[in-house]
Amino acid sequence: MGRGIGQFYPGMSPLHALDPRAKILASVGLVAALFLVGSFHGFLLVAVVVLSLLIVSRVPAAAFLRFLKPVSFIVALTFLFQALFSREGNILFEWGWLSVYEGGVSNGAFLAARILLLVLSAALLTATTPPVALTDGIEDLLSPLKKLRFPSHEVAMMMTIALRFIPTLDEEAQKIMRAQAARGAEFSEGGLIKRVKAIIPILVPLTVGAFCRADELADAMESRGYRGGEGRTRYRELKFRLRDGVALLFVVLVAVGGAVL
Amino acid sequence: MRIEVKNLRHVYSPGTDSAVEALRDVSLSVEGGEILGVVGGTGSGKSTLVVHMNLLLEPTSGEVLIDGMDARAMKKSELRRRVGLVFQFPESALFAPTVEEDVAFGPCRLGLDEEEVRRRVSETLGMLGISHLASRSPHALSGGEKRRVAIAGVLAMGPEAIVLDEPTAGLDPATREELLDVVRGLKNAGMSVVIVSHDLDEIAEVADRVCLMERGEAKAVGAPEDVFYEHPENAPDTVRAALAVGERLPGVGRPVRFAETVEVLERVMGG
Ligand SMILES: Nc1ncnc2c1ncn2[C@@H]1O[C@H](COP(=O)(O)OP(=O)(O)OP(=O)(O)O)[C@@H](O)[C@H]1O
Ligand SMILES: [Mg+2]
């Protein structure tokens, strides 16, 4: 099955039980908090909250590590840039033309930790919310915009379909890669131009296949009576309960606390 | 060329909770000038087995021998040239603007000169009866035509063995017959052929030996009459008819092919 983005881990934790709208808003709140905090203590507060939520979610740690893997390169780069080129505070050590300052290292660590926590907050949301619930929640949150003729149902439907097809596309890409490898294609050899050229035999059939699939899906949806969001009854109804309100309030308090501290 | 797999075992996503043991201790071989038919239910491991034959999938344990040599010791590119592999629904990997260019992809990767590439392309297109499609776009062809283009793309590399995963699935009877004729032609030219199929009648017609897969194991490997008469639940209609008639009348023997069966039945029933 599809690895990486949008991976849902079925579970029974309190986080799984929350209304998707509450979780979406809470994630936005956490992300805002991470941007707002300036002080070390404020940051510590938000960090402790995010890390505790990871434990509460009962999603295996390995799953979160997998979420972090794609961003680890950016995090490392951010840290290195800050550490090597920032000239704040005392000099930690010098080595030839290279001098590393205390401020640089602490700034770098701070920024890196901030990115990691951002990704973890998003991961918390997608790991504890089934993709369909996620898009239902987004549709609902966007629905006030309908008055401004914003196609919130269509946008949500597009997201549902896109999420559904990520694993399919991934599988398809693997198949095509193997088929081309059987014809002598090499994907990991040669210089940049050679590698880009090697992608064409994968990308073309993948795109052609995706368009065919999109056509078929559209036909199938239409023949089963899909006509957009107008007057459509929901199969799943969302319910905002007391615990959702409490969860939201908690996150707001954390965000305010982080900003003030 | 002789391809031999020994005690092959394959586990998908090992060490995770979604681990699947798709192959268990499978051993079999195929010789030059021979067609090995692989049959078995959906999910029995047929595709997993055949992609091991040029090591596009590495076995979890066990080995693949090419003319007695460990395939893992061979150069990957060399191995893939010598053992051609046509996947299930190979038409999904067509990509070039024209049929000609798509078929030329493999030979070009072998570093042949342009003259030789062109010769091979026109030869294989001719062999599969699609020369007239050479300058068409592969995406605008019918399913059967696409299938033949994809097979040509592998044959143009000049393999000594060819492995075909359900090459006739979803084709009309006439196209299927034509394709099976091509497969017989390859065998007569001395190639080792492995063909996977759900169509037992088709395997009965072309295969010299049969491997019956069930839940990741090779339940039986051997001559078609041995395999089919031992496992009548997985036998073609010809074998079932012969078995039904043989219960009452002696001398039916063990016919497998359609023509053979008709001949035998005419003899015991008419005479
Ligand atoms: N990429 C994969 N990851 C995990 N499991 C897989 C993968 N490919 C196949 N399997 C599993 O391995 C088993 C054998 O699959 P395989 O594709 O070899 O069957 P098959 O006999 O070719 O079936 P079919 O007749 O439907 O083509 C199945 O249980 C399948 O679910
Ligand atoms: Mg298969």
Side-chain angles (χ1 to χ4, degrees), chain B residues 41-62:
Chain B
T42 329
S44 58
K46 303 182 297 294
S47 298
T48 309
L49 169 66
V50 298
V51 283
H52 277 88
M53 290 183 172
N54 67 359
L55 291 192
L56 267 170
L57 209 57
E58 300 254 349
T60 307
S61 67

Side-chain angles (χ1 to χ4, degrees), chain A residues 135 151-164 226:
Chain A
T135 47
S152 63
H153 167 78
E154 281 71 14
V155 167
M157 181 56 91
M158 269 162 59
M159 289 177 59
T160 315
I161 294 174
L163 279 176
R164 154 70 185 76
Y226 177 79

Side-chain angles (χ1 to χ4, degrees), chain A residues 3-260:
Chain A
R3 296 155 286 275
I5 354 164
Q7 184 75 278
F8 169 60
Y9 282 82
M12 306 282 282
S13 78
L15 291 189
H16 284 84
L18 286 179
D19 186 285
R21 290 166 297 182
K23 275 188 277 189
I24 294 167
L25 291 176
S27 311
V28 173
L30 280 178
V31 169
L34 282 166
F35 275 110
L36 287 174
V37 291
S39 71
F40 178 69
H41 286 109
F43 184 77
L44 205 63
L45 173 72
V46 180
V48 167
V49 168
V50 172
L51 294 178
S52 333
L53 287 178
L54 293 185
I55 296 169
V56 172
S57 77
R58 279 188 244 143
V59 173
F64 285 116
L65 286 182
R66 222 172 304 149
F67 267 107
L68 291 180
K69 221 168 134 195
V71 287
S72 57
F73 177 71
I74 298 172
V75 171
L77 210 66
T78 310
F79 178 74
L80 275 180
F81 257 74
Q82 286 289 329
L84 295 182
F85 301 119
S86 170
R87 305 190 177 280
E88 275 173 51
N90 302 322
I91 291 184
L92 266 185
F93 62 86
E94 266 177 308
W95 190 58
W97 54 270
L98 197 77
S99 45
V100 174
Y101 294 78
E102 223 174 64
V105 170
S106 67
N107 272 348
F110 192 55
L111 256 177
R114 201 182 275 209
I115 299 175
L116 288 180
L117 286 175
L118 274 176
V119 175
L120 284 176
S121 312
L124 258 177
L125 175 65
T126 52
T128 62
T129 319
V132 269
L134 202 57
T135 47
D136 278 355
I138 290 172
E139 176 176 358
D140 212 77
L141 289 171
L142 291 178
S143 62
L145 292 178
K146 265 188 192 147
K147 298 216 169 60
L148 304 174
R149 292 178 170 262
F150 181 81
S152 63
H153 167 78
E154 281 71 14
V155 167
M157 181 56 91
M158 269 162 59
M159 289 177 59
T160 315
I161 294 174
L163 279 176
R164 154 70 185 76
F165 277 102
I166 288 172
T168 314
L169 269 184
D170 183 49
E171 209 172 284
E172 195 74 3
Q174 304 281 343
K175 262 191 209 157
I176 294 169
M177 273 173 83
R178 277 199 277 162
Q180 306 303 27
R183 291 208 271 167
E186 294 279 359
F187 307 112
S188 51
E189 269 177 22
L192 186 66
I193 295 180
K194 238 184 161 174
R195 283 193 195 198
V196 170
K197 266 193 179 162
I199 294 177
I200 295 173
I202 303 170
L203 225 48
V204 173
L206 195 62
T207 317
V208 171
F211 274 105
C212 285
R213 216 182 289 265
D215 263 349
E216 282 167 16
L217 183 66
D219 286 344
M221 282 168 74
E222 224 165 285
S223 64
R224 290 163 76 182
Y226 177 79
R227 281 182 319 274
E230 222 47 52
R232 173 168 166 264
T233 43
R234 281 265 188 86
Y235 181 58
R236 300 165 301 271
E237 289 294 338
L238 298 177
K239 276 211 186 70
F240 204 87
R241 296 196 180 80
L242 182 65
R243 59 175 179 224
D244 300 310
V246 173
L248 260 183
L249 190 68
F250 172 69
V251 169
V252 170
L253 285 178
V254 170
V256 172
V260 171

Side-chain angles (χ1 to χ4, degrees), chain B residues 45 72-73 79 85 97 115 142 154 178 226 244 250:
Chain B
R72 265 171 296 198
L79 182 62
L85 185 65
E115 194 63 30
S142 80
V154 173
E178 279 171 33
D226 292 336

Side-chain angles (χ1 to χ4, degrees), chain B residues 90-224:
Chain B
E91 54 274 24
S92 65
L94 298 175
F95 72 98
T98 67
V99 166
E100 224 164 12
E101 286 166 80
D102 205 285
V103 174
F105 179 75
C108 282
R109 308 285 323 187
L110 298 177
L112 304 170
D113 63 68
E114 209 174 315
E115 194 63 30
E116 175 66 9
V117 170
R118 203 162 309 150
R119 198 186 61 74
R120 285 198 184 185
V121 170
S122 72
E123 191 185 69
T124 34
L125 288 182
M127 187 157 68
L128 285 151
I130 45 173
S131 301
H132 58 291
L133 302 175
S135 49
R136 295 266 299 272
S137 159
H139 300 294
L141 300 177
S142 80
E145 289 167 339
K146 279 188 198 169
R147 183 77 53 87
R148 282 188 276 182
V149 172
I151 294 174
V154 173
L155 284 178
M157 295 175 73
E160 296 160 51
I162 182 121
V163 178
L164 300 146
D165 194 351
E166 301 197 23
T168 58
L171 297 186
D172 69 274
T175 313
R176 178 162 55 198
E177 260 334 295
E178 279 171 33
L179 207 54
L180 291 178
D181 276 338
V182 172
V183 172
R184 288 193 195 95
L186 297 173
K187 162 197 154 165
N188 291 336
M191 277 173 76
S192 327
V193 181
V194 177
I195 178 168
V196 176
S197 180
H198 277 291
D199 188 336
L200 295 163
D201 298 319
E202 163 184 314
I203 293 294
E205 287 310 308
V206 298
D208 299 304
R209 283 187 329 122
V210 173
C211 166
L212 170 62
M213 296 293 297
E214 194 175 290
R215 275 184 250 110
E217 285 178 77
K219 202 172 168 198
V221 187

